[in-house]
């Protein structure tokens, strides 16, 4: 009985851990969207900063609660638009301080010239408010530190009867505190969010390449260049054989001593069991692996597996899991004018997939074009792949096609959010044209076009508007179709 209860508890705990990992993974994918990350930062940091300033104000009578509204609005502007015009810590501190100083001066002048009485003994006068606004506008414009919240601190000087310079000092100190937290957040996290959040920049470094199609060597080289971007990268060349044609067991690179498999050890081939057909397959893969290792400088392994009763996609996926690969890079195959069932089956798995359609066997990709629909994990992956392939000296262009000029501003902001985390020089283009005609025109100027597989869309959406790669005309350059759906893989 106790064993049964313990088994149930173990199963429940295991299921809870799986759910937790899935939720964490989904949260990471959600927060990869820059807009979501910014909104989350606003929700966390603005209340926290105001709470800190409030705690300080409770300890100091010189820090008036009336300065909190401009601080809150200014802090929101900083965190909500970290790359915008007003997202400058220096501008923020100088603007609020200068606004407070102008308001204090307006209060002193209006009390002296209009009321002939101390500032604390008169009511707010329209002329004083106008003078505060005029001085704030003139000085912030003149010093090129225009800050919307500066007008708030100027008016609060009149409302709060800021009779001495301590009001200005408190504004400067509190705004400096907010700006300091923003600088720390921006430099330590936001500017490097690709390193912390975008798995495409640090994952997909173990690549499995099924050697199929007309240009398998080109796809193998593409997978190798993707893997070579990381120190721990490796590429595994796979050949799936049919048991009806060759009676072999699973063949791996690491040699075994039981005499039941064919093993390779980085350039030499040992035949166990005397199957010449399998020996030829493994030897051919070893020759390709040696070429890739010498050309790209990345670890290259080989595997020959028996599909048995499995489908081709199932055999490829099983090998990817057994060899600890997190990306499958496979040549494109079609059936009846569309992607072959094998390709579509891979798109339905929980593995990252890159389908490569090679035109002429190219093995170097210095110019890459990346059309995107929105900021998403797939867009990050495509752009990350383009950066790996093109390198720091290559040409990378990311584009978003729009229907009308009214969509241009939103497209500009979206592309700016997408490319900002990457260190490579990336050009953005916003053509007002259908994606099909645009790619047909400009694709010959590039070595590779990367598009998404659109597997995140609903069935109705795909029925009404097929995926981009299914609507593309014949383009005179290589095409890569990217599908990112994998869960975090453990490498134990």
């Amino acid at each position: 009985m106790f064993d049964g209860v313990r088994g149930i508890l173990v199963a429940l705990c295991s299921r809870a851990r799986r759910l937790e990992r899935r939720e964490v993974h989904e949260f990471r994918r959600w927060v990869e969207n820059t807009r979501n990350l910014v909104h989350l930062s606003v929700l966390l940091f603005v209340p926290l900063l105001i709470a800190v300033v409030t705690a300080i104000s409770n300890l100091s009578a010189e820090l008036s609660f009336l300065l909190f509204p401009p601080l809150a609005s200014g802090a929101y502007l900083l965190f909500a638009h970290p790359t915008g015009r007003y997202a400058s810590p220096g501008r923020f501190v100088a603007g609020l301080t200068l606004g407070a100083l102008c308001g204090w001066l307006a209060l002193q002048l209006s009390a002296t010239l209009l009321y002939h009485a101390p500032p604390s003994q008169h009511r707010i006068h329209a002329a004083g408010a106008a003078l505060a606004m005029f001085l704030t506008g003139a000085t912030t414009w003149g010093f090129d530190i225009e800050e919307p919240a500066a007008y708030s601190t100027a008016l609060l000087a009149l409302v709060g009867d800021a009779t001495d310079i301590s009001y200005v000092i408190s504004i400067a100190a509190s705004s400096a505190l907010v700006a300091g937290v923003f600088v720390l957040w921006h430099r330590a996290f936001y500017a490097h969010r690709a390193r912390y959040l975008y798995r495409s920049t640090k994952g997909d470094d173990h690549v499995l390449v099924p050697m199929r199609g007309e240009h398998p060597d080109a796809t193998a080289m593409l997978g190798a260049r993707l893997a070579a971007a990381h120190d721990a990268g490796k590429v595994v060349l796979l050949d799936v054989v049919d048991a009806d044609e060759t009676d072999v067991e699973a063949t791996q690179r690491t040699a075994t001593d039981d005499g039941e498999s064919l093993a390779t050890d980085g350039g030499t081939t040992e035949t166990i069991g005397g199957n010449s057909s399998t020996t030829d397959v493994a030897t051919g893969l070893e020759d390709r692996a040696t070429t890739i290792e010498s050309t790209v400088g990345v670890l290259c392994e080989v595997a020959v597996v028996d599909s048995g009763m499995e489908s081709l996609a199932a055999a490829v996926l099983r090998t990817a899991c057994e060899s600890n690969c997190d990306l499958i890079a496979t040549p494109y195959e079609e059936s009846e004018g569309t992607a072959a069932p094998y390709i579509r089956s891979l798109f339905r798995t929980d593995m990252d997939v890159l389908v490569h359609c090679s035109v002429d066997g190219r093995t170097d990709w210095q110019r890459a074009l990346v059309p995107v629909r929105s900021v998403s994990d797939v867009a990050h992956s495509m752009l990350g792949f383009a950066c790996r392939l093109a390198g720091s000296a290559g040409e990378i262009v990311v584009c978003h096609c729009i229907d009308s000029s009214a969509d241009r501003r939103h497209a500009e902001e979206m592309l700016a959010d997408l490319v900002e985390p990457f260190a490579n020089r990336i050009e953005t283009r916003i053509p007002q044209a259908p994606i099909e005609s645009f790619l047909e025109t400009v694709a010959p100027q590039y070595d590779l076009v990367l598009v998404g597989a659109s597997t995140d869309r609903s069935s109705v959406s795909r029925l009404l508007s097929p995926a981009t790669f299914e609507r593309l005309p014949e383009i005179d350059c290589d095409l890569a179709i990217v599908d990112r759906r994998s869960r975090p893989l453990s490498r134990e």
Side-chain angles (χ1 to χ4, degrees):
M1 177 179 178
F2 289 106
D3 291 339
V5 173
R6 185 174 60 181
I8 294 175
L9 291 177
V10 170
L12 290 176
C13 291
S14 176
R15 182 176 180 84
R17 285 194 296 269
R18 288 197 301 270
L19 290 174
E20 181 182 2
R21 287 195 297 267
R22 184 177 66 183
E23 293 300 325
V24 170
H25 181 56
E26 290 301 321
F27 174 75
R28 287 180 62 88
R29 296 185 66 171
W30 176 83
V31 82
E32 280 192 20
N33 187 310
T34 300
R35 291 291 91 193
N36 294 335
L37 174 63
V38 166
H39 291 153
L40 184 62
S41 299
V42 169
L43 288 177
L44 293 177
F45 286 99
V46 174
L48 179 62
L49 286 170
I50 297 303
V52 171
V53 176
T54 302
I56 296 175
S57 70
N58 292 333
L59 300 177
S60 173
E62 301 297 330
L63 192 60
S64 172
F65 186 81
L66 291 175
L67 62 86
F68 292 176
L71 277 182
S73 62
Y76 172 82
L77 199 59
L78 283 176
F79 285 97
H81 305 281
T83 58
R85 175 186 177 186
Y86 298 108
S88 166
R91 181 190 295 271
F92 172 72
V93 176
L96 264 64
T97 305
L98 192 57
L101 181 61
C102 290
W104 178 77
L105 287 174
L107 178 62
Q108 301 298 323
L109 291 175
S110 61
T112 303
L113 300 178
L114 298 178
Y115 298 100
H116 305 287
S120 59
Q121 298 181 10
H122 75 279
R123 296 179 302 172
I124 302 174
H125 195 278
L131 179 60
M133 294 296 95
F134 174 79
L135 291 176
T136 302
T139 53
T140 54
W141 181 25
F143 288 106
D144 192 26
I145 51 174
E146 295 170 272
E147 169 65 38
Y151 292 90
S152 298
T153 57
L155 283 179
L156 286 176
L158 303 178
V159 175
D161 289 339
T163 58
D164 53 57
I165 200 65
S166 61
Y167 170 76
V168 179
I169 297 175
S170 64
I171 287 288
S174 55
S175 61
L177 173 63
V178 173
V181 174
F182 171 77
V183 170
L184 181 63
W185 170 79
H186 193 281
R187 292 182 179 178
F189 179 75
Y190 183 80
H192 304 286
R193 62 191 183 276
R195 180 192 308 169
Y196 301 126
L197 296 178
Y198 301 166
R199 194 175 58 80
S200 61
T201 65
K202 57 180 178 287
D204 294 329
D205 53 357
H206 292 184
V207 184
L208 178 72
V209 183
M211 303 297 286
R212 302 174 56 83
E214 296 181 5
H215 302 288
D217 292 325
T219 304
M221 190 64 70
L222 184 144
R225 295 192 185 279
L226 291 177
H230 297 152
D231 295 336
K234 75 171 182 178
V235 60
V236 179
L237 307 184
L238 169 67
D239 203 327
V240 181
V241 296
D242 191 340
D244 293 336
E245 299 177 1
T246 57
D247 184 18
V248 296
E249 299 292 332
T251 304
Q252 301 289 342
R253 186 182 182 89
T254 305
T256 60
D257 298 328
D258 55 11
E260 295 182 354
S261 66
L262 180 98
T264 61
D265 57 359
T268 62
T269 303
E270 180 182 0
T271 304
I272 306 298
N275 191 295
S276 59
S277 176
T278 302
T279 302
D280 293 341
V281 172
T283 301
L285 289 183
E286 272 296 329
D287 292 340
R288 289 166 164 171
T290 302
T291 301
I292 289 174
E293 287 184 344
S294 60
T295 303
V296 183
V298 66
L299 175 65
C300 190
E301 302 177 355
V302 302
V304 181
V305 301
D306 174 16
S307 62
M309 300 299 292
E310 296 177 309
S311 65
L312 176 59
V316 170
L317 183 62
R318 173 173 56 83
T319 306
C321 295
E322 292 175 352
S323 57
N324 203 21
C325 291
D326 46 15
L327 173 67
I328 298 174
T330 183
Y332 181 75
E333 299 180 36
E334 67 177 14
S335 175
E336 299 179 357
T338 186
Y342 155 67
I343 300 295
R344 296 187 178 277
S345 296
L346 289 181
F347 283 159
R348 290 192 292 267
T349 66
D350 288 328
M351 180 71 68
D352 285 0
V353 178
L354 184 149
V355 178
H356 177 221
C357 182
S358 178
V359 174
D360 54 7
R362 173 186 295 276
T363 58
D364 189 28
W365 300 268
Q366 290 292 314
R367 297 168 298 170
L369 176 64
V370 185
V372 298
R373 287 191 296 115
S374 61
V375 177
S376 64
D377 53 345
V378 176
H380 291 140
S381 293
M382 292 192 298
L383 199 51
F385 291 158
C387 291
R388 294 192 203 181
L389 295 172
S392 58
E395 177 186 355
I396 303 172
V397 177
V398 57
C399 68
H400 176 72
C401 294
I402 58 176
D403 297 325
S404 65
S405 57
D407 301 327
R408 184 170 301 276
R409 183 172 181 178
H410 173 74
E412 290 174 349
E413 295 177 352
M414 184 264 290
L415 293 183
D417 288 339
L418 179 62
V419 306
E420 197 264 340
F422 293 90
N424 300 63
R425 292 178 298 177
I426 302 175
E427 178 185 349
T428 59
R429 297 185 62 178
I430 307 176
Q432 187 174 335
I435 182 64
E436 300 89 348
S437 60
F438 174 72
L439 290 182
E440 187 177 16
T441 302
V442 304
Q445 305 172 18
Y446 299 93
D447 302 328
L448 179 69
V449 173
L450 296 100
V451 299
S454 298
T455 54
D456 57 337
R457 296 163 54 195
S458 65
S459 301
V460 176
S461 176
R462 292 195 298 269
L463 180 62
L464 296 177
S465 178
T468 300
F469 76 89
E470 296 178 325
R471 295 183 280 118
L472 288 182
E474 293 291 335
I475 56 176
D476 190 19
C477 76
D478 285 9
L479 177 69
I481 307 166
V482 178
D483 177 38
R484 177 182 171 186
R485 297 171 63 107
S486 71
R487 296 186 296 264
L489 296 178
S490 61
R491 292 180 180 167
E492 300 178 354

